[in-house]
mmCIF file of all heavy atoms in Angstrom:
data_model
loop_
_atom_site.group_PDB
_atom_site.id
_atom_site.type_symbol
_atom_site.label_atom_id
_atom_site.label_comp_id
_atom_site.label_asym_id
_atom_site.label_seq_id
_atom_site.Cartn_x
_atom_site.Cartn_y
_atom_site.Cartn_z
ATOM 1 N N ASP I 136 -7.848 -19.709 2.402
ATOM 2 C CA ASP I 136 -7.091 -19.626 1.046
ATOM 3 C C ASP I 136 -7.394 -18.295 0.199
ATOM 4 O O ASP I 136 -6.660 -17.885 -0.554
ATOM 5 C CB ASP I 136 -7.351 -20.875 0.222
ATOM 6 C CG ASP I 136 -6.744 -22.079 0.844
ATOM 7 O OD1 ASP I 136 -5.797 -21.955 1.699
ATOM 8 O OD2 ASP I 136 -7.125 -23.256 0.421
ATOM 9 N N THR I 137 -8.669 -17.874 0.364
ATOM 10 C CA THR I 137 -9.087 -16.796 -0.572
ATOM 11 C C THR I 137 -9.411 -15.423 0.364
ATOM 12 O O THR I 137 -9.410 -14.407 -0.412
ATOM 13 C CB THR I 137 -10.246 -17.124 -1.338
ATOM 14 O OG1 THR I 137 -11.270 -17.610 -0.443
ATOM 15 C CG2 THR I 137 -9.955 -18.248 -2.223
ATOM 16 N N THR I 138 -9.564 -15.613 1.532
ATOM 17 C CA THR I 138 -10.099 -14.450 2.306
ATOM 18 C C THR I 138 -8.992 -13.771 3.077
ATOM 19 O O THR I 138 -8.045 -14.378 3.579
ATOM 20 C CB THR I 138 -11.206 -14.842 3.410
ATOM 21 O OG1 THR I 138 -12.295 -15.496 2.633
ATOM 22 C CG2 THR I 138 -11.823 -13.577 4.167
ATOM 23 N N ARG I 139 -8.958 -12.329 2.987
ATOM 24 C CA ARG I 139 -7.943 -11.600 3.649
ATOM 25 C C ARG I 139 -8.648 -10.502 4.421
ATOM 26 O O ARG I 139 -9.607 -9.872 4.032
ATOM 27 C CB ARG I 139 -6.986 -10.762 2.684
ATOM 28 C CG ARG I 139 -6.300 -11.854 1.751
ATOM 29 C CD ARG I 139 -5.234 -12.650 2.411
ATOM 30 N NE ARG I 139 -4.597 -13.557 1.508
ATOM 31 C CZ ARG I 139 -4.829 -14.778 1.213
ATOM 32 N NH1 ARG I 139 -5.785 -15.341 1.691
ATOM 33 N NH2 ARG I 139 -3.950 -15.405 0.407
ATOM 34 N N LYS I 140 -8.130 -10.418 5.792
ATOM 35 C CA LYS I 140 -8.576 -9.292 6.551
ATOM 36 C C LYS I 140 -7.511 -8.145 6.388
ATOM 37 O O LYS I 140 -6.361 -8.333 6.574
ATOM 38 C CB LYS I 140 -8.698 -9.670 8.065
ATOM 39 C CG LYS I 140 -8.980 -8.452 8.898
ATOM 40 C CD LYS I 140 -8.990 -8.920 10.419
ATOM 41 C CE LYS I 140 -9.220 -7.739 11.394
ATOM 42 N NZ LYS I 140 -9.069 -8.189 12.684
ATOM 43 N N ILE I 141 -8.047 -6.920 5.910
ATOM 44 C CA ILE I 141 -7.059 -5.795 5.657
ATOM 45 C C ILE I 141 -7.460 -4.744 6.628
ATOM 46 O O ILE I 141 -8.594 -4.176 6.682
ATOM 47 C CB ILE I 141 -7.198 -5.413 4.167
ATOM 48 C CG1 ILE I 141 -6.801 -6.582 3.261
ATOM 49 C CG2 ILE I 141 -6.129 -4.226 4.065
ATOM 50 C CD1 ILE I 141 -7.091 -6.366 1.807
ATOM 51 N N SER I 142 -6.587 -4.386 7.422
ATOM 52 C CA SER I 142 -6.698 -3.294 8.448
ATOM 53 C C SER I 142 -5.948 -2.075 7.887
ATOM 54 O O SER I 142 -4.770 -2.201 7.646
ATOM 55 C CB SER I 142 -6.150 -3.592 9.866
ATOM 56 O OG SER I 142 -6.809 -4.790 10.248
ATOM 57 N N ILE I 143 -6.628 -0.968 7.745
ATOM 58 C CA ILE I 143 -5.966 0.247 7.123
ATOM 59 C C ILE I 143 -5.953 1.322 8.219
ATOM 60 O O ILE I 143 -7.069 1.540 8.934
ATOM 61 C CB ILE I 143 -6.847 0.694 5.886
ATOM 62 C CG1 ILE I 143 -7.040 -0.353 4.882
ATOM 63 C CG2 ILE I 143 -6.195 2.093 5.378
ATOM 64 C CD1 ILE I 143 -8.000 0.068 3.843
ATOM 65 N N CYS I 144 -4.800 1.907 8.469
ATOM 66 C CA CYS I 144 -4.658 2.918 9.423
ATOM 67 C C CYS I 144 -4.140 4.123 8.707
ATOM 68 O O CYS I 144 -3.115 4.037 8.017
ATOM 69 C CB CYS I 144 -3.718 2.525 10.525
ATOM 70 S SG CYS I 144 -4.272 2.677 12.086
ATOM 71 N N ALA I 145 -4.909 5.267 8.770
ATOM 72 C CA ALA I 145 -4.510 6.457 7.999
ATOM 73 C C ALA I 145 -3.887 7.382 9.144
ATOM 74 O O ALA I 145 -4.682 7.776 10.141
ATOM 75 C CB ALA I 145 -5.762 7.117 7.302
ATOM 76 N N TYR I 146 -2.705 7.879 8.950
ATOM 77 C CA TYR I 146 -2.148 8.824 9.713
ATOM 78 C C TYR I 146 -1.888 10.085 9.039
ATOM 79 O O TYR I 146 -1.417 10.020 7.866
ATOM 80 C CB TYR I 146 -0.627 8.318 10.179
ATOM 81 C CG TYR I 146 -0.652 7.038 10.943
ATOM 82 C CD1 TYR I 146 -0.517 5.850 10.350
ATOM 83 C CD2 TYR I 146 -0.775 6.959 12.302
ATOM 84 C CE1 TYR I 146 -0.490 4.612 11.054
ATOM 85 C CE2 TYR I 146 -0.826 5.801 13.091
ATOM 86 C CZ TYR I 146 -0.722 4.683 12.449
ATOM 87 O OH TYR I 146 -0.700 3.487 13.086
ATOM 88 N N GLY I 147 -2.338 11.156 9.559
ATOM 89 C CA GLY I 147 -2.197 12.530 8.969
ATOM 90 C C GLY I 147 -3.342 12.936 8.148
ATOM 91 O O GLY I 147 -4.244 12.069 7.700
ATOM 92 N N LEU I 148 -3.425 14.256 7.901
ATOM 93 C CA LEU I 148 -4.716 14.700 7.205
ATOM 94 C C LEU I 148 -4.862 14.219 5.820
ATOM 95 O O LEU I 148 -6.009 13.866 5.471
ATOM 96 C CB LEU I 148 -4.534 16.374 7.137
ATOM 97 C CG LEU I 148 -4.615 16.949 8.457
ATOM 98 C CD1 LEU I 148 -4.391 18.579 8.356
ATOM 99 C CD2 LEU I 148 -5.923 16.763 9.141
ATOM 100 N N GLN I 149 -3.777 14.187 4.943
ATOM 101 C CA GLN I 149 -4.032 13.553 3.680
ATOM 102 C C GLN I 149 -4.467 12.215 3.599
ATOM 103 O O GLN I 149 -5.334 11.837 2.953
ATOM 104 C CB GLN I 149 -2.694 13.786 2.753
ATOM 105 C CG GLN I 149 -2.831 13.319 1.411
ATOM 106 C CD GLN I 149 -1.627 13.577 0.600
ATOM 107 O OE1 GLN I 149 -0.675 14.065 0.996
ATOM 108 N NE2 GLN I 149 -1.749 13.222 -0.683
ATOM 109 N N ALA I 150 -3.799 11.362 4.308
ATOM 110 C CA ALA I 150 -4.128 9.925 4.413
ATOM 111 C C ALA I 150 -5.527 9.698 4.968
ATOM 112 O O ALA I 150 -6.364 8.905 4.420
ATOM 113 C CB ALA I 150 -3.149 9.174 5.256
ATOM 114 N N LYS I 151 -5.928 10.494 5.992
ATOM 115 C CA LYS I 151 -7.279 10.540 6.519
ATOM 116 C C LYS I 151 -8.376 10.901 5.545
ATOM 117 O O LYS I 151 -9.398 10.285 5.457
ATOM 118 C CB LYS I 151 -7.370 11.243 7.773
ATOM 119 C CG LYS I 151 -6.628 10.579 8.929
ATOM 120 C CD LYS I 151 -6.763 11.442 10.248
ATOM 121 C CE LYS I 151 -6.025 10.674 11.379
ATOM 122 N NZ LYS I 151 -5.924 11.619 12.637
ATOM 123 N N SER I 152 -8.008 11.973 4.658
ATOM 124 C CA SER I 152 -8.977 12.309 3.653
ATOM 125 C C SER I 152 -9.204 11.248 2.607
ATOM 126 O O SER I 152 -10.219 11.113 2.144
ATOM 127 C CB SER I 152 -8.507 13.701 3.050
ATOM 128 O OG SER I 152 -7.335 13.558 2.208
ATOM 129 N N VAL I 153 -8.101 10.410 2.284
ATOM 130 C CA VAL I 153 -8.241 9.304 1.376
ATOM 131 C C VAL I 153 -9.231 8.312 1.938
ATOM 132 O O VAL I 153 -10.123 7.847 1.108
ATOM 133 C CB VAL I 153 -6.876 8.677 1.034
ATOM 134 C CG1 VAL I 153 -7.022 7.313 0.315
ATOM 135 C CG2 VAL I 153 -5.913 9.614 0.335
ATOM 136 N N ILE I 154 -9.122 7.989 3.158
ATOM 137 C CA ILE I 154 -9.976 6.964 3.757
ATOM 138 C C ILE I 154 -11.471 7.542 3.780
ATOM 139 O O ILE I 154 -12.401 6.711 3.515
ATOM 140 C CB ILE I 154 -9.619 6.658 5.194
ATOM 141 C CG1 ILE I 154 -8.243 5.928 5.121
ATOM 142 C CG2 ILE I 154 -10.470 5.816 5.916
ATOM 143 C CD1 ILE I 154 -8.240 4.683 4.542
ATOM 144 N N ARG I 155 -11.662 8.775 4.067
ATOM 145 C CA ARG I 155 -13.009 9.346 4.099
ATOM 146 C C ARG I 155 -13.647 9.368 2.872
ATOM 147 O O ARG I 155 -14.847 9.378 2.613
ATOM 148 C CB ARG I 155 -13.049 10.761 4.602
ATOM 149 C CG ARG I 155 -12.660 10.719 6.153
ATOM 150 C CD ARG I 155 -12.624 12.108 6.812
ATOM 151 N NE ARG I 155 -12.413 12.027 8.247
ATOM 152 C CZ ARG I 155 -11.318 12.435 8.795
ATOM 153 N NH1 ARG I 155 -10.332 13.048 8.138
ATOM 154 N NH2 ARG I 155 -11.159 12.286 10.147
ATOM 155 N N ARG I 156 -12.840 9.416 1.556
ATOM 156 C CA ARG I 156 -13.360 9.369 0.263
ATOM 157 C C ARG I 156 -13.770 8.012 -0.130
ATOM 158 O O ARG I 156 -14.431 7.915 -1.191
ATOM 159 C CB ARG I 156 -12.375 10.013 -0.699
ATOM 160 C CG ARG I 156 -12.425 11.626 -0.547
ATOM 161 C CD ARG I 156 -11.570 12.077 -1.810
ATOM 162 N NE ARG I 156 -10.136 11.877 -1.823
ATOM 163 C CZ ARG I 156 -9.238 12.597 -1.054
ATOM 164 N NH1 ARG I 156 -9.667 13.590 -0.372
ATOM 165 N NH2 ARG I 156 -8.041 12.328 -1.086
ATOM 166 N N LEU I 157 -13.249 7.088 0.525
ATOM 167 C CA LEU I 157 -13.546 5.637 0.094
ATOM 168 C C LEU I 157 -15.031 5.290 0.162
ATOM 169 O O LEU I 157 -15.741 5.753 1.117
ATOM 170 C CB LEU I 157 -12.750 4.568 0.865
ATOM 171 C CG LEU I 157 -11.316 4.556 0.755
ATOM 172 C CD1 LEU I 157 -10.622 3.532 1.597
ATOM 173 C CD2 LEU I 157 -10.880 4.376 -0.693
ATOM 174 N N ASP I 158 -15.510 4.491 -0.723
ATOM 175 C CA ASP I 158 -16.867 3.867 -0.704
ATOM 176 C C ASP I 158 -16.704 2.519 -0.673
ATOM 177 O O ASP I 158 -16.913 1.786 -1.740
ATOM 178 C CB ASP I 158 -17.690 4.455 -1.987
ATOM 179 C CG ASP I 158 -19.007 3.953 -1.913
ATOM 180 O OD1 ASP I 158 -19.566 3.532 -0.772
ATOM 181 O OD2 ASP I 158 -19.690 3.722 -2.983
#
Side-chain angles (χ1 to χ4, degrees):
D136 286 347
T137 57
T138 303
R139 303 296 185 259
K140 177 182 175 186
I141 303 171
S142 301
I143 304 168
C144 233
Y146 298 94
L148 294 175
Q149 183 179 355
K151 288 177 181 179
S152 71
V153 168
I154 295 300
R155 289 184 181 110
R156 282 193 290 276
L157 291 180
D158 178 27

